[in-house]
Amino acid sequence: SKGHKLLRFPQARLLPNNTYSIPNTCTAVVEGAFAGSIGIECLYIPTGTVLEQDALAGMPKLDKVFRETEG
């Protein structure tokens, strides 16, 4: 099955503890996908997800980024 790209983070989504986990079905995050995501402080990225250039730009409160590992 073909993977999915995260093109734009849904701004209206409520974030428990200001944390967001990118779904495992997401194979790539494109430039500007999180632009204006002022609420996200902590981001979890699946092992297989590719971050394109400036994928995390525009997140002023982003403090922690975790790359999930297999197993």
Side-chain angles (χ1 to χ4, degrees):
S1 65
K2 192 168 188 269
H4 302 279
K5 283 190 173 189
L6 181 64
L7 302 178
R8 169 64 66 189
F9 174 75
Q11 299 298 334
R13 186 174 191 140
L14 292 175
L15 300 169
N17 303 321
N18 298 321
T19 299
Y20 180 67
S21 293
I22 296 174
N24 286 325
T25 54
C26 179
T27 55
V29 179
V30 303
E31 176 181 357
F34 284 101
S37 300
I38 59 173
I40 299 177
E41 295 176 14
C42 180
L43 185 66
Y44 286 87
I45 305 167
T47 305
T49 301
V50 175
L51 296 179
E52 296 183 4
Q53 184 174 356
D54 295 327
L56 303 183
M59 302 172 73
K61 290 188 179 179
L62 185 63
D63 184 44
K64 299 182 184 80
V65 177
F66 297 98
R67 177 67 84 164
E68 295 177 354
T69 55
E70 301 285 350

